[in-house]
Amino acid sequence: MDTHAWIYLFFYAESAMYALIDCNSFYANCEKLFRPDLKDKPVVVLSNNDGCVVARSSEAKLLGIKMGVPYFQVKDFCDQNNVTVFSSNYTLYADISQRVMMTLETLCPTVEVYSIDEAFLYLADYPVAMQDLSAYGHKLKAIVEMHTGIPVSVGIGTTKTMAKLANHAAKKYPATKGVCVLENIRWIRRIMQITDVGELWGVGRRYKLRLNEMGIHTVYQLAICEPGKIRQHFGVVLERTCLELNGQSCLGIESIAPKKQIISSRSFSERITDQQALSESICAHVAKAASKLRKQDSVCAYITVFAKNSPFSKNEPYVLISGDYHFITPTADSRVMVTAARQVLKVIYKEEVRYAKAGVMLLGICQHDEVQLDLFAEGQSNQNDSGQEERAKKSTNKRVEVTAIMDELNQKYGQNSNQQAAVFIASEGIKANQSWQMSRNMLSPCYTTNINQLPKVH
DNA sequence: TCTGGGGTCCTAGGACCC
DNA sequence: TCTGGGGTCCTAGGACCC
């Protein structure tokens, strides 16, 4: 047997430690927080448009409801088994997530929020934690649960990949009581041997198939592979995974960086066959994406507009239309971007397609103060003759002011009950009149973020 | 009838430059 | 007979993640 790999472990084991805290069945448990009557009952949460199951409580998992199944396939089953079903309420989940993350920040100086329900902690520069990792792990779990009511699992290991593996074990094996520390070599080997390689962070469906073909089925078998060989077959990403399994840290704690691409897209609740309706939805996506763009102080160099029919339909061919618009000067002005998007749509639009989804992508994103100016464009110069320069400056400033005021008003007044912003661009249309808007028929109240929807105690 | 949405990173290949 | 070599930038596509 090839044992070269284990040498790393001894070298690196003491130098670094990462913890991964992962909320259990996060969306489902957020819903349960405010519904004590659902304690110990099965709950599932659906994706937008009530399309697929995206979260299941532990009871729902036991019933055998699979992650990602289309809701219509399990609807009857849910009815028969008294499963409570919710549309996703992202406003609620985001607020609860923030509470979890804030609690973690009081327990460790270095926290990386990895997703809405997960965070990595870097323990190496926190001596208190390093003294007794298991005790610290249990403390993390207890305090987060006490402060937020959300149950979590804790995994601790020498690298991020090991922390992920530990977390997986903490979730899967009740004997761990939700906290697993991968410190002891024999224990590490044991966990690796009983974990399918497809469960590992960084191994998706494709890689699992190819690894299996090579005779690699468990995490352990991957860990003892020659990293160079893995690189040859799969590239550097999986090579890093392999190294991380041997205690050699390749992935550090990352700080929050501005997004390099911003997407806004959504399926319609019903098919659209009319260009006007499609245009309104596209314009709304542009406005939403542009507002995200401004929030991170960025501008974008080009925008992609796309729309498509359903890829699942059996009696119509799959149609995807898409087109780009390149801005001469990168921009974050919703009105400029809406005009561009409408122009693109006119060019790419195809008649007689039953559109099921549309959206936009913003690309070529950079910070607004790093913009490459266009020598000949108006409204941005800094070396023209003074009169022109003044006019140009005024025009630019006005644009910035208008969007800033729109953002401020929308921030202050929020959305009405139809999810329409307080101030919006006319070409977005009136949402109340748009029958194709996302359907969310089983939405819970925004218990923590809307004054009119606070839970009541009787 | 009914199948989510939003991201990241890496790689290969083409265009272009000197 | 014999048609370079090295570099950058951009893009599309493929893989992964939650």
Side-chain angles (χ1 to χ4, degrees):
Chain A
M1 185 187 70
D2 180 358
T3 52
H4 79 278
W6 299 102
I7 294 166
Y8 286 128
L9 252 170
F10 292 106
F11 275 141
Y12 289 90
E14 287 176 41
S15 60
M17 271 290 164
Y18 293 88
L20 176 68
I21 290 77
D22 190 323
C23 301
N24 301 343
S25 309
F26 182 57
Y27 297 167
N29 279 322
C30 285
E31 297 292 349
K32 282 193 177 196
L33 265 188
F34 297 93
R35 290 285 303 273
D37 59 303
L38 296 179
K39 191 173 183 297
D40 303 324
K41 303 253 168 66
V43 163
V44 302
V45 179
L46 305 180
S47 63
N48 286 325
N49 271 316
D50 299 336
C52 305
V53 172
V54 292
R56 309 104 78 213
S57 72
S58 48
E59 302 82 8
K61 283 176 193 167
L62 279 177
L63 283 174
I65 299 171
K66 293 275 180 277
M67 178 70 175
V69 288
Y71 177 51
F72 73 89
Q73 287 176 8
V74 291
K75 183 170 186 308
D76 291 344
F77 180 85
C78 287
D79 293 345
Q80 286 154 22
N81 291 276
N82 289 320
V83 178
T84 308
V85 180
F86 291 96
S87 305
S88 34
N89 183 345
Y90 284 102
T91 314
L92 174 66
Y93 312 149
D95 186 61
I96 304 296
S97 169
Q98 217 183 349
R99 297 178 187 203
V100 172
M101 300 310 169
M102 276 169 60
T103 305
L104 290 177
E105 276 160 14
T106 66
L107 297 167
C108 179
T110 317
V111 177
E112 176 191 335
V113 177
Y114 179 67
S115 76
I116 194 164
D117 71 337
E118 275 175 75
F120 284 105
L121 311 188
Y122 184 62
L123 306 182
D125 47 27
Y126 191 45
V128 183
M130 295 297 282
Q131 278 169 18
D132 184 342
L133 290 167
S134 173
Y136 178 71
H138 283 285
K139 182 180 159 192
L140 281 175
K141 179 171 162 64
I143 292 187
V144 171
E145 293 181 4
M146 182 171 71
H147 284 195
T148 66
I150 297 289
V152 298
S153 302
V154 178
I156 296 178
T158 51
T159 62
K160 280 182 158 182
T161 303
M162 293 290 269
K164 272 274 191 185
L165 180 65
N167 194 285
H168 181 260
K171 278 210 162 87
K172 188 161 178 181
Y173 304 109
T176 62
K177 296 199 167 70
V179 178
C180 173
V181 181
L182 289 182
E183 247 183 325
N184 170 296
I185 295 292
R186 292 168 57 114
W187 185 227
I188 292 175
R189 188 177 308 189
R190 183 84 193 104
I191 291 289
M192 286 183 170
Q193 280 167 342
I194 58 175
T195 306
D196 189 291
V197 72
E199 307 282 323
L200 190 64
W201 191 41
V203 178
R205 240 187 30 246
R206 303 278 175 160
Y207 282 3
K208 175 185 155 75
L209 279 177
R210 281 167 56 194
L211 285 164
N212 287 168
E213 278 167 19
M214 295 168 68
I216 297 168
H217 299 271
T218 66
V219 172
Y220 181 75
Q221 288 172 316
L222 178 63
I224 60 172
C225 275
E226 185 72 52
K229 204 173 125 194
I230 294 300
R231 182 185 189 135
Q232 260 178 23
H233 285 88
F234 299 90
V236 294
V237 180
L238 201 64
E239 183 194 25
R240 286 203 274 255
T241 301
C242 191
L243 288 168
E244 286 233 325
L245 286 175
N246 288 281
Q248 186 173 335
S249 185
C250 305
L251 309 164
I253 291 288
E254 288 175 25
S255 49
I256 305 157
K259 299 276 178 263
K260 294 171 183 168
Q261 61 181 55
I262 292 174
I263 299 172
S264 176
S265 75
R266 191 124 306 172
S267 307
F268 306 122
S269 63
E270 57 191 58
R271 299 284 185 258
I272 282 186
T273 50
D274 150 37
Q275 189 175 355
Q276 174 62 24
L278 195 57
S279 173
E280 286 180 7
S281 96
I282 296 276
C283 291
H285 285 303
V286 173
K288 195 172 153 198
S291 140
K292 276 193 204 169
L293 188 65
R294 292 192 294 270
K295 218 173 250 172
Q296 61 169 38
D297 281 324
S298 299
V299 291
C300 76
Y302 59 104
I303 180 169
T304 299
V305 174
F306 66 90
K308 54 190 184 179
N309 64 1
S310 169
F312 303 103
S313 179
K314 290 196 175 85
N315 36 25
E316 49 194 343
Y318 178 52
V319 178
L320 167 67
I321 59 171
S322 90
D324 305 329
Y325 188 98
H326 288 246
F327 299 108
I328 294 170
T329 309
T331 182
D333 187 321
S334 308
R335 294 160 304 158
V336 173
M337 295 165 73
V338 159
T339 308
R342 280 160 59 91
Q343 215 170 306
V344 171
L345 182 63
K346 264 185 206 154
V347 175
I348 61 173
Y349 184 75
K350 280 190 189 147
E351 298 281 350
E352 294 181 6
V353 177
R354 298 169 63 238
Y355 293 98
K357 178 175 177 175
V360 301
M361 291 171 74
L362 308 185
L363 300 154
I365 291 176
C366 62
Q367 290 302 98
H368 82 286
D369 49 10
E370 299 166 355
V371 174
Q372 181 71 52
L373 297 182
D374 174 33
L375 188 56
F376 302 106
E378 286 179 39
Q380 50 161 359
S381 161
N382 48 18
Q383 50 187 338
N384 276 346
D385 72 274
S386 58
Q388 212 176 350
E389 186 186 345
E390 275 308 301
R391 279 199 302 280
K393 245 190 199 156
K394 266 189 191 160
S395 138
T396 307
N397 288 342
K398 235 184 213 164
R399 286 188 169 281
V400 171
E401 270 172 35
V402 171
T403 50
I405 290 170
M406 283 177 69
D407 288 339
E408 203 178 311
L409 287 171
N410 285 333
Q411 169 72 29
K412 192 165 172 187
Y413 295 105
Q415 299 175 333
N416 66 17
S417 52
N418 288 313
Q419 310 276 317
Q420 186 121 43
V423 189
F424 59 96
I425 295 174
S427 39
E428 294 177 44
I430 310 290
K431 293 204 177 182
N433 302 340
Q434 293 165 344
S435 60
W436 42 266
Q437 281 292 342
M438 168 167 82
S439 51
R440 295 198 289 179
N441 296 323
M442 292 154 284
L443 188 62
S444 55
C446 291
Y447 299 104
T448 58
T449 54
N450 187 326
I451 191 82
N452 299 315
Q453 299 181 18
L454 297 180
K456 295 190 178 81
V457 179
H458 298 284

